[in-house]
Amino acid sequence: MSRAHHYHRPHTPEASEEDQESDLELDLRELGPTGPLDGISFENTRSKRRGDGAPQSDGQIPLRKLRLGGLRVSGRRTRRLDGVTGDESRGADIDHLLLNEDVDNGDHSEGSNNFEDGTPLLQHNGQEQSPSHGRIARVLLRFFRFLSSRTGHNSTFEVGTASQVESQPVGSPRSISIGPFPSPRYPPNAVSNAKYNPWSFLPRTLYNEFSFFINLYFLFVALSQIIPPLRIGYLSTYIAPLAFVLTVTLGKEALDDVARRRRDSEANKEEYAVLRLRDASKSSGMKTKMKETALAKRKASGKRFQSAGERRMEAIEEEEENIDHGFSSNSHIEVDGVRVKSRDLKVGDILKLGKDQRVPADLIILKSYTTESSVASFVDDAKSKDQDSLLVEPILDASSLGTDAVSDSSQANPATEHVRPTDGKVVAETFIRTDQLDGETDWKLRLASPLTQPLDPRDFLRITIAAGRPDKKINEFVGTVELAPLMKTQAPHDDRAGGPSQAQDHKVMTAPLTIDNTAWANTVLASSATVLAVVVYTGPQTRQALSTSSSRSKIGLLEFEINNLTKILCALTLTLSILLVALQNLKHGQEPIREDQKWYITITRFLILFSTIIPISLRVNLDMGKTVYAWFIERDRDMPGAVVRTSTIPEDLGRIEYLLSDKTGTLTQNEMELKKIHVGTVSYANEAMEEVSSYVRQGFSNSSSDAAQPTVLVTPSSLVNVTSTTGTTTRTRREIGSRVRDVVLALALCHNVTPTTDIENGQSTTAYQASSPDEIAIVRWTESVGLRVVHRDRHSISLQSVDSSRIAVRVRILEVFPFTSEGKRMGIILQYLQGTESTVSSNTEGGEIWFYQKGADTVMTSIVAANDWLDEETANMAREGLRTLVVGRRRLSSHQYHDFAQSYKEASMSLSSRDTSMAHVIRESLEHDLELLGVTGVEDKLQRDVKPSLELLRNAGVKIWMLTGDKVETARCVAISSKLVSRSQHIHTITQLPSSSRTNPQAATEALSLLNVNPDSTALLIDGDSLSYLLTHHQYAFISLAVLLPAVIACRCSPTQKADVALLIRAHTKKRIACIGDGGNDVSMIQAADVGVGIVGKEGRQASLAADFSITQFRHLTKLLVWHGRNSYKRSAKLAQFVIHRGLIISVCQTVYSIATRFEPNALYRDWLLVGYATVYTMAPVFSLVLDRDVDENLANLYPELYKELTPGTSLSYRTFAVWLLVSVYQGIIIQGLSQVLTGSVTSNQMLAVSFTTLVINELVMVAFEVTTWHWIMLASLAGTFAVYAASVPFLGGYFGLGYVWSWGFVWRVASIAGVSLVPYYIVKVLRRTLKPPSYRKVRGV
């Protein structure tokens, strides 16, 4: 039985045509995972007939394909495929759909596919199958397999929708059939930057919270209150604060994650046009007839009800009958357009994309087309009139390259005769922008496979795509596309299809798929073409997602430092408790010990009493402070659009020592502009470009007095004799004018730019498409000086004079040598056409042939003729940060070109070292002694205020690394132009280190040793391969040296490499690093950093959504770090130390009290006094410190060295902790000791009133001492808190003696104790400020 028309997998063996078995005979070796009849083996009769040498299929055939004719008589399948494009009445509708941008939004639910049996039957295990089973076993196999699948077949189907079927293993190779056969289920195409899901939120957040010692400590204290001997006061006194802290922290994490999901939802709701192929031939009348027939059978058998098995067997019979009646025929396929949200896209969906649309998933391009209605008429006239005027044919016809790759040519197979491109549509070369994926600024050319490009969309049913496992290699892809043939009973769509002998040719055509046929997720369609593409990978299996690390919970460095301090405090508490218990035992001597006075119980009670030394309110205050900092950032008028996505790490913004930045879209705008051109003796820039325009007008306008008279086409030879219209120019000016015209002409022709015409607001505008923005910038410049590219295809280029709007130059393209990273140059061979703009001369001998080439100065220096100015001028432009291109040309005679063409064609057909042979022919025949025409300088426009921003950050002590996927030369120019590398710094370049190390094993060591000579004034420029080599073989030596350099520029970096570098710096230096980027290729780096900053890019928000902080421009980063970051860190450090002081002082008072009460573990302040002290009596003034600032914003920017002081963490260190510890011990002893002494009592209410009141006043005054810049909220909180305390005293009668509180004795005792506690501290503070003033006082001049 012929299997050509079946669902075909790569490498599936072809069956013989006489192999016509019953439709019940299955090749079980081709079936998938084991079904209900595991262990039963059957004879593979087909393999037996083929012979042992026949290749065995390892493909998997879904059951539904078997039931719908996958392995049945070919005639049935023939009827199903008959007329796929034969319905001529729908052709116009399809064309309208493909060209109409407004896709139908109607309801197409009837086209949903509910077939659920797309999973394989048996797992191929390579064993021989037993010959002891026959036809009945095969029927049983199909029956039992059918029992395990669901029912419910619809009368319509949708192409490309994945049904609810059994999942394939994640990451497995896939075969995608675009048709009624559903693809296996794959992950949803949803973007997710959320850290948690509903099931992981509580476990992960609780684990993160209790990984902090302070929370774990208070959990122990709270649980201890359940034990009666350990209970001190009310249980809620300890449970409520911990619960409040956890609620605040978890609530903040939940809100952050909800905000991430909300932003993800916006991206996932973006709608795309999807084509649905619907079978309109399935009428309800046929279904009714089927149901009536089934009912009649049941009545004849006398059964009223059916068992489940009988119903499913009946479904099998019904399906067989459907096939016989043409029920599954696709002869009436209709193409509908629907709008589908990005998250609902499935593997197999056919997307319709237009210009500037983001690609939502990994796609294979099937078809690309455009309507070039605005192409000038002269182009078509020229093609018809000068078809034979070419002197010699191009060596390689680009239009034939693709068809050679197809395994079966269209001439040999009539199946391709009817799939010519639709009228009115021109095959479009599709360009995509990948800067959001790999960071490269060059546009990438993408083409549909020559097998699928000419197909009508209804013929997509015949396509099967085989793709490999999901992979994160963004520059590699291997796959195949297969096109099933038209069947022998189907009438061809073209009269040239031939007779019956041709119609019976059932060969399946196969073509390879490469990276050139793909469009990965997160790229952007740049060209004006419309693209039809099929989804192959979705969601987490896309290249972009696989190159992105998963989100992680980030914890600030301040949190870890405070966690370490709490451990020290706990150790002090434990030591103090043990010491007090030991003194208690010494004091009591041999006195009997009660049961509740056991040493371990007493130690535990002391630990609980001293738990205030580690204040639970510390985490609450810090978390609330972070919220305030985030509020400040998001409402900063100088940073519009700033968003804080991770509110747990604002303090880290003030301690950044390494900044890793992307280039494209972050430092630069990716907008090129030609700023300077040098022609050997004269340099033109800025206003001098007007002189260039005048020279161009002289040479290319050729204006005639009669507007109807056609102009004469210009050639390089004719430009030599051009003279000025004034007739007064000198010989020198004539020579300069000739050189200027030559270089402008060369730049207008030597490129790969294609002009396109767009209709915007009813007006026609011209846009340019190219793989490199540099080339577009050059072509735009030639237009600005008077020479416009109006047409270009694979065979010709036409130039128009802007001044006269007439065609001035027309050339034939003989050969193009594209730019490569290795060659660093591009060339083109052209033949100039002679005659007028409307009539081309047929004189083939007169057509001049020229070879033009432009490239980097490093390679062009040895190609152009000797000169004395090239090196100096390129060096000058490089110092200005311009990207230089050297332009040269050479004229070829007919004989020279013929010799080159023959040699080049022979080299191109070589089976070994083909690229080397072709390059050798070009080098020997063309690339020598070129006439040097000039040098261009192109500027990559920087983001606003990038230069001062980088300089400020560098002065702030931040070491900056630029990690980009772009070329080495591009990165060097941007590093210089942006002042990332200063004039005094030397750039040490390391490239192609792996290849160098193969010939010189010491190459890596030598390269690193050169860096070590003067690391303070050396910047490193390294490519991705060399970086990977060093990180693999010399990791420690490299990173130890690299972190000392002021700047590092890494080029050709993959997204994974960027993340690896960030992780390596973090691990090696233990310093805080920040990463900033704007594209999807930066997400991994951003998530790997301690602080990730995302810039909202032009083409997407992937980096912004995944970042901790989102800004709109790079210049906002300086304020984010130097102002907001510095303030956040200093405020949190001061707040944390003050909260610790507040807990320490009350613990010292408790210690003094315990000693005075003979070491009894009794509480000094109970219940409300303990809770009120940490909340309403002190919290507001202490928390108001988050509004404090030592300098204003102008001084912070003027003196970035203030930021540099914070990076070592001096604001909160063991030294500052020790100072606050001594202050707390002193003040605690004074307050409690003098209270007991002056009141003459240890346990009286009078002593408690004096002690507690003095403690509250002491804290309020200490807050005032710490304020640097007063804010009205600070004053209000201090006055308000004191008023609240005074108002609450009448309600504290249970603790204080109220009669004593209103006496003068109480007042003078409180004032005296507070003075002794506070005055010495203030005197020391003033003396320190005077003798050793801090930096902020120096810059403020106070």
Side-chain angles (χ1 to χ4, degrees):
M1 177 178 62
S2 175
R3 301 174 56 202
H5 57 286
H6 299 158
Y7 176 88
H8 188 78
R9 281 185 170 272
H11 315 300
T12 302
E14 299 291 339
S16 60
E17 294 201 1
E18 62 271 9
D19 187 7
Q20 305 286 343
E21 292 297 324
S22 167
D23 59 350
L24 291 176
E25 291 196 11
L26 309 178
D27 185 356
L28 299 183
R29 289 190 170 219
E30 298 173 335
L31 301 182
T34 306
L37 296 181
D38 271 349
I40 300 180
S41 65
F42 304 95
E43 179 182 4
N44 189 343
T45 57
R46 185 170 302 145
S47 299
K48 201 170 182 180
R49 283 191 297 273
R50 290 190 190 119
D52 296 337
Q56 299 299 314
S57 170
D58 58 356
Q60 297 178 355
I61 302 177
L63 172 62
R64 176 165 146 60
K65 292 178 58 181
L66 300 180
R67 298 208 309 270
L68 292 181
L71 291 173
R72 298 193 179 123
V73 180
S74 59
R76 293 174 179 172
R77 175 65 181 240
T78 300
R79 289 192 296 272
R80 293 171 54 224
L81 288 177
D82 184 25
V84 173
T85 57
D87 192 352
E88 301 297 337
S89 63
R90 295 185 178 89
D93 294 337
I94 294 177
D95 291 343
H96 174 74
L97 173 67
L98 298 181
L99 296 176
N100 185 14
E101 295 300 329
D102 297 323
V103 182
D104 180 21
N105 287 295
D107 184 10
H108 298 274
S109 59
E110 70 178 66
S112 61
N113 191 347
N114 290 331
F115 288 104
E116 306 252 320
D117 48 9
T119 52
L121 286 173
L122 294 176
Q123 182 68 39
H124 171 60
N125 54 14
Q127 298 178 358
E128 289 296 328
Q129 299 169 352
S130 171
S132 60
H133 302 275
R135 182 173 185 142
I136 297 178
R138 294 188 180 96
V139 174
L140 289 175
L141 171 63
R142 295 181 65 239
F143 172 69
F144 286 119
R145 183 64 185 92
F146 192 75
L147 290 178
S148 64
S149 63
R150 304 180 208 171
T151 59
H153 303 271
N154 285 353
S155 61
T156 60
F157 62 86
E158 291 182 2
V159 175
T161 55
S163 62
Q164 302 297 322
V165 295
E166 190 175 324
S167 298
Q168 274 195 351
V170 175
S172 61
R174 59 196 63 191
S175 184
I176 303 164
S177 177
I178 304 179
F181 313 124
S183 298
R185 188 194 315 149
Y186 293 104
N189 191 54
V191 176
S192 177
N193 290 291
K195 296 180 181 179
Y196 314 103
N197 58 44
W199 297 273
S200 66
F201 175 74
L202 278 179
R204 288 183 60 184
T205 51
L206 290 177
Y207 172 80
N208 291 335
E209 289 304 308
F210 287 112
S211 63
F212 286 102
F213 180 79
I214 184 172
N215 287 342
L216 196 62
Y217 176 79
F218 272 97
L219 178 63
F220 162 75
V221 171
L223 294 177
S224 68
Q225 296 303 290
I226 300 176
I227 304 174
L230 302 179
R231 184 173 299 169
I232 299 175
Y234 296 113
L235 181 63
S236 59
T237 304
Y238 298 91
I239 295 293
L242 179 62
F244 178 73
V245 169
L246 293 179
T247 301
V248 170
T249 306
L250 268 64
K252 187 160 60 64
E253 279 289 306
L255 290 176
D256 288 346
D257 213 49
V258 168
R260 292 190 196 96
R261 288 184 177 275
R262 187 178 296 113
R263 288 185 291 268
D264 290 340
S265 177
E266 294 176 2
N268 292 328
K269 288 180 179 179
E270 186 177 358
E271 292 188 343
Y272 290 87
V274 175
L275 300 187
R276 299 293 196 210
L277 275 65
R278 187 166 56 88
D279 190 348
S281 65
K282 299 181 180 181
S283 62
S284 58
M286 182 176 290
K287 291 189 292 181
T288 303
K289 180 179 179 180
M290 297 290 183
K291 292 180 180 179
E292 291 176 353
T293 303
L295 181 61
K297 289 182 179 179
R298 287 199 298 272
K299 289 181 177 180
S301 61
K303 292 184 178 181
R304 184 176 180 182
F305 301 103
Q306 287 180 300
S307 65
E310 289 173 338
R311 287 195 301 269
R312 296 187 184 189
M313 181 59 77
E314 183 178 297
I316 294 178
E317 296 175 356
E318 179 182 332
E319 186 178 359
E320 299 286 350
E321 193 169 351
N322 289 345
I323 295 175
D324 293 334
H325 287 85
F327 184 71
S328 298
S329 173
N330 58 2
S331 59
H332 300 284
I333 301 300
E334 291 184 354
V335 182
D336 296 327
V338 296
R339 303 292 296 183
V340 176
K341 294 179 180 178
S342 176
R343 67 187 178 198
D344 297 327
L345 294 176
K346 303 291 192 302
V347 172
D349 276 344
I350 303 173
L351 266 64
K352 176 188 173 187
L353 298 175
K355 184 179 181 180
D356 292 332
Q357 272 196 286
R358 182 182 69 88
V359 178
D362 286 355
L363 309 177
I364 297 294
I365 298 175
L366 300 178
K367 188 181 185 69
S368 177
Y369 58 90
T370 184
T371 52
E372 294 290 347
S373 58
S374 58
V375 177
S377 60
F378 67 83
V379 177
D380 296 329
D381 296 340
K383 288 184 178 181
S384 62
K385 294 178 181 179
D386 59 19
Q387 190 67 31
D388 299 327
S389 64
L390 184 61
L391 180 63
V392 286
E393 290 296 327
I395 300 166
L396 296 177
D397 187 357
S399 63
S400 63
L401 289 177
T403 56
D404 293 341
V406 182
S407 58
D408 289 30
S409 66
S410 61
Q411 286 80 4
N413 196 327
T416 61
E417 291 295 328
H418 74 290
V419 290
R420 295 184 301 276
T422 309
D423 294 340
K425 300 172 189 175
V426 178
V427 175
E429 295 179 341
T430 304
F431 287 95
I432 61 172
R433 293 196 295 268
T434 63
D435 54 323
Q436 298 291 309
L437 180 66
D438 57 15
E440 296 189 20
T441 57
D442 293 354
W443 292 6
K444 305 297 188 301
L445 176 64
R446 293 293 185 261
L447 298 170
S449 170
L451 193 60
T452 62
Q453 173 63 42
L455 292 181
D456 185 282
R458 288 173 294 183
D459 284 314
F460 289 167
L461 287 171
R462 300 159 52 203
I463 294 175
T464 301
I465 293 176
R469 298 175 182 273
D471 196 344
K472 64 181 181 181
K473 296 179 180 178
I474 58 179
N475 294 319
E476 297 180 12
F477 177 74
V478 177
T480 59
V481 58
E482 296 178 353
L483 181 64
L486 297 175
M487 293 302 102
K488 61 184 179 181
T489 60
Q490 180 172 347
H493 291 278
D494 198 303
D495 296 337
R496 297 173 297 172
S501 60
Q502 285 184 323
Q504 292 178 1
D505 189 352
H506 303 314
K507 291 184 179 180
V508 173
M509 290 185 293
T510 304
L513 294 175
T514 66
I515 188 67
D516 294 331
N517 308 120
T518 64
W520 297 144
N522 219 24
T523 59
V524 178
L525 188 64
S527 56
S528 300
T530 299
V531 171
L532 301 183
V534 60
V535 178
V536 289
Y537 303 109
T538 54
Q541 294 185 351
T542 60
R543 289 320 201 249
Q544 188 266 339
L546 292 173
S547 300
T548 303
S549 58
S550 57
S551 300
R552 64 184 181 93
S553 297
K554 295 184 179 181
I555 301 173
L557 182 59
L558 186 71
E559 301 276 1
F560 291 108
E561 293 172 343
I562 293 176
N563 197 47
N564 291 333
L565 295 181
T566 56
K567 293 177 182 178
I568 295 175
L569 291 174
C570 183
L572 291 176
T573 303
L574 181 59
T575 302
L576 185 60
S577 301
I578 294 174
L579 179 62
L580 291 177
V581 171
L583 292 175
Q584 182 188 41
N585 291 337
L586 290 176
K587 181 73 176 179
H588 290 286
Q590 301 298 323
E591 295 181 9
I593 300 176
R594 299 193 309 270
E595 185 65 26
D596 59 349
Q597 290 182 334
K598 297 291 185 180
W599 66 270
Y600 51 86
I601 295 178
T602 306
I603 289 177
T604 305
R605 286 177 62 87
F606 272 124
L607 284 174
I608 296 171
L609 287 173
F610 295 144
S611 63
T612 54
I613 202 172
I614 308 174
I616 186 66
S617 61
L618 176 59
R619 292 299 306 280
V620 177
N621 281 274
L622 290 178
D623 288 341
M624 292 174 62
K626 296 175 194 294
T627 303
V628 173
Y629 309 147
W631 189 88
F632 285 150
I633 292 173
E634 292 183 341
R635 283 158 181 78
D636 192 326
R637 294 181 179 179
D638 295 332
M639 300 169 54
V643 179
V644 179
R645 289 181 163 62
T646 304
S647 59
T648 58
I649 56 173
E651 299 90 358
D652 279 4
L653 291 171
R655 306 182 64 179
I656 299 300
E657 295 192 47
Y658 291 90
L659 174 65
L660 277 59
S661 174
D662 179 40
K663 178 188 73 68
T664 307
T666 304
L667 298 178
T668 68
Q669 301 180 34
N670 197 24
E671 295 180 4
M672 308 298 176
E673 181 181 2
L674 193 146
K675 304 289 288 186
K676 192 175 184 179
I677 185 168
H678 196 283
V679 294
T681 56
V682 183
S683 179
Y684 297 96
N686 302 323
E687 292 80 6
M689 292 297 181
E690 289 296 330
E691 188 175 348
V692 176
S693 299
S694 66
Y695 289 137
V696 173
R697 283 195 297 271
Q698 293 173 14
F700 296 97
S701 290
N702 289 332
S703 58
S704 174
S705 58
D706 186 2
Q709 183 178 354
T711 59
V712 178
L713 296 179
V714 177
T715 66
S717 299
S718 64
L719 288 175
V720 176
N721 302 320
V722 173
T723 59
S724 173
T725 56
T726 62
T728 60
T729 56
T730 64
R731 178 180 177 182
T732 302
R733 288 189 59 82
R734 286 197 299 270
E735 291 178 352
I736 293 175
S738 177
R739 295 182 65 86
V740 168
R741 287 186 288 270
D742 287 340
V743 72
V744 171
L745 178 61
L747 292 174
L749 294 173
C750 185
H751 55 75
N752 278 313
V753 179
T754 302
T756 61
T757 302
D758 297 332
I759 304 299
E760 295 182 1
N761 300 325
Q763 296 182 349
S764 176
T765 59
T766 300
Y768 296 107
Q769 299 175 3
S771 62
S772 172
D774 298 62
E775 292 199 322
I776 294 179
I778 292 174
V779 171
R780 283 177 177 166
W781 176 81
T782 63
E783 180 181 1
S784 68
V785 296
L787 199 58
R788 177 187 296 134
V789 180
V790 292
H791 171 74
R792 183 208 170 97
D793 56 24
R794 296 179 181 179
H795 308 288
S796 64
I797 302 176
S798 297
L799 306 181
Q800 181 189 64
S801 171
V802 176
D803 183 55
S804 64
S805 299
R806 298 289 190 91
I807 299 302
V809 179
R810 189 174 290 158
V811 297
R812 285 273 187 180
I813 301 175
L814 303 183
E815 189 58 66
V816 177
F817 312 105
F819 179 90
T820 62
S821 300
E822 295 77 18
K824 301 179 182 179
R825 58 192 183 275
M826 74 86 58
I828 188 170
I829 301 177
L830 303 170
Q831 180 191 15
Y832 284 86
L833 303 182
Q834 296 177 329
T836 65
E837 60 176 331
S838 59
T839 304
V840 178
S841 174
S842 60
N843 181 14
T844 58
E845 296 298 329
E848 301 177 21
I849 299 177
W850 288 82
F851 168 61
Y852 291 98
Q853 190 170 62
K854 66 181 180 184
D857 59 288
T858 54
V859 296
M860 292 296 291
T861 302
S862 60
I863 295 176
V864 299
N867 60 88
D868 57 357
W869 59 270
L870 178 59
D871 293 339
E872 179 182 359
E873 189 58 34
T874 54
N876 292 336
M877 290 187 180
R879 279 191 289 270
E880 298 176 24
L882 300 179
R883 305 165 71 164
T884 57
L885 282 176
V886 179
V887 186
R889 69 176 182 177
R890 182 183 181 190
R891 184 169 182 176
L892 302 176
S893 66
S894 175
H895 178 71
Q896 287 176 323
Y897 179 73
H898 185 272
D899 291 343
F900 164 75
Q902 185 176 0
S903 301
Y904 191 68
K905 187 171 184 178
E906 291 175 357
S908 66
M909 299 179 66
S910 175
L911 297 180
S912 61
S913 304
R914 176 181 300 174
D915 294 340
T916 304
S917 301
M918 295 170 69
H920 177 75
V921 172
I922 296 173
R923 186 168 54 252
E924 293 298 323
S925 303
L926 303 176
E927 294 181 339
H928 59 82
D929 298 327
L930 265 64
E931 177 188 356
L932 177 59
L933 296 178
V935 180
T936 64
V938 177
E939 178 189 46
D940 189 354
K941 291 184 180 179
L942 299 175
Q943 294 279 1
R944 180 183 172 187
D945 294 336
V946 161
K947 294 181 182 179
S949 298
L950 291 176
E951 183 179 1
L952 189 149
L953 292 174
R954 187 163 48 244
N955 293 334
V958 179
K959 294 181 173 64
I960 304 172
W961 291 40
M962 185 173 74
L963 309 180
T964 177
D966 223 329
K967 300 184 289 291
V968 174
E969 292 79 10
T970 304
R972 180 193 296 272
C973 293
V974 172
I976 295 173
S977 63
S978 64
K979 306 301 180 184
L980 175 62
V981 178
S982 64
R983 290 180 177 271
S984 61
Q985 293 174 351
H986 166 69
I987 300 179
H988 179 65
T989 305
I990 300 178
T991 57
Q992 299 180 349
L993 191 58
S995 59
S996 302
S997 299
R998 284 193 288 269
T999 57
N1000 180 15
Q1002 300 300 320
T1005 305
E1006 294 173 358
L1008 293 177
S1009 62
L1010 292 175
L1011 275 178
N1012 203 21
V1013 174
N1014 193 5
D1016 293 335
S1017 60
T1018 303
L1020 173 63
L1021 177 62
I1022 186 171
D1023 64 357
D1025 292 338
S1026 302
L1027 178 63
S1028 179
Y1029 181 83
L1030 289 175
L1031 293 181
T1032 302
H1033 301 286
H1034 305 275
Q1035 183 182 101
Y1036 181 78
F1038 169 73
I1039 197 64
S1040 300
L1041 188 57
V1043 295
L1044 302 177
L1045 303 177
V1048 176
I1049 304 101
C1051 316
R1052 294 296 186 188
C1053 285
S1054 66
T1056 305
Q1057 276 184 319
K1058 291 183 179 182
D1060 291 342
V1061 170
L1063 293 172
L1064 186 59
I1065 296 176
R1066 283 180 55 202
H1068 181 79
T1069 63
K1070 309 299 181 184
K1071 306 293 185 181
R1072 297 285 99 176
I1073 71 169
C1075 293
I1076 181 170
D1078 73 316
N1081 61 313
D1082 303 316
V1083 171
S1084 293
M1085 175 180 71
I1086 287 172
Q1087 293 179 339
D1090 296 300
V1091 176
V1093 182
I1095 295 179
V1096 179
K1098 294 180 180 179
E1099 280 81 32
R1101 296 180 297 170
Q1102 289 74 25
S1104 171
L1105 292 174
D1108 305 306
F1109 301 89
S1110 173
I1111 56 179
T1112 56
Q1113 297 183 38
F1114 182 85
R1115 65 190 181 93
H1116 295 161
L1117 180 66
T1118 56
K1119 188 170 186 180
L1120 186 66
L1121 300 183
V1122 176
W1123 176 244
H1124 291 289
R1126 183 177 183 275
N1127 286 340
S1128 298
Y1129 172 61
K1130 288 189 69 68
R1131 290 165 175 171
S1132 287
K1134 183 180 290 187
L1135 179 63
Q1137 291 178 125
F1138 211 92
V1139 173
I1140 290 175
H1141 160 74
R1142 188 176 63 185
L1144 277 170
I1145 193 172
I1146 197 173
S1147 298
V1148 173
C1149 292
Q1150 176 66 51
T1151 302
V1152 174
Y1153 175 76
S1154 297
I1155 293 174
T1157 57
R1158 302 181 64 186
F1159 309 104
E1160 291 294 331
N1162 297 322
L1164 170 62
Y1165 307 121
R1166 290 178 177 270
D1167 306 329
W1168 169 249
L1169 293 183
L1170 190 61
V1171 175
Y1173 171 75
T1175 54
V1176 296
Y1177 296 152
T1178 60
M1179 184 172 181
V1182 172
F1183 185 71
S1184 68
L1185 291 174
V1186 300
L1187 302 175
D1188 192 20
R1189 57 192 177 107
D1190 52 2
V1191 294
D1192 59 23
E1193 184 180 346
N1194 293 331
L1195 286 176
N1197 292 328
L1198 186 61
Y1199 298 98
E1201 293 79 8
L1202 293 174
Y1203 182 88
K1204 189 176 182 178
E1205 291 181 347
L1206 302 183
T1207 53
T1210 55
S1211 295
L1212 180 62
S1213 61
Y1214 291 118
R1215 178 179 173 276
T1216 59
F1217 172 72
V1219 171
W1220 279 102
L1221 178 61
L1222 292 177
V1223 171
S1224 302
V1225 171
Y1226 167 76
Q1227 292 183 338
I1229 292 174
I1230 292 297
I1231 292 172
Q1232 184 60 29
L1234 290 182
S1235 296
Q1236 294 174 178
V1237 171
L1238 294 181
T1239 58
S1241 174
V1242 176
T1243 59
S1244 66
N1245 289 340
Q1246 291 85 348
M1247 183 279 300
L1248 189 62
V1250 171
S1251 174
F1252 189 78
T1253 303
T1254 305
L1255 185 64
V1256 171
I1257 293 175
N1258 182 85
E1259 288 306 296
L1260 298 182
V1261 177
M1262 285 292 290
V1263 170
F1265 285 168
E1266 292 303 312
V1267 173
T1268 306
T1269 304
W1270 283 95
H1271 192 281
W1272 69 268
I1273 295 180
M1274 296 178 176
L1275 294 172
S1277 64
L1278 286 171
T1281 299
F1282 184 77
V1284 168
Y1285 176 70
S1288 66
V1289 169
F1291 301 97
L1292 301 178
Y1295 305 99
F1296 302 161
L1298 296 182
Y1300 178 73
V1301 170
W1302 305 118
S1303 66
W1304 282 106
F1306 172 80
V1307 175
W1308 75 260
R1309 285 179 176 85
V1310 170
S1312 301
I1313 297 172
V1316 175
S1317 172
L1318 294 169
V1319 171
Y1321 170 77
Y1322 183 74
I1323 294 174
V1324 172
K1325 188 178 184 70
V1326 171
L1327 289 175
R1328 186 176 181 277
R1329 286 179 177 177
T1330 305
L1331 299 176
K1332 191 179 179 181
S1335 299
Y1336 73 87
R1337 293 184 65 86
K1338 293 179 182 179
V1339 300
R1340 292 176 59 182
V1342 295

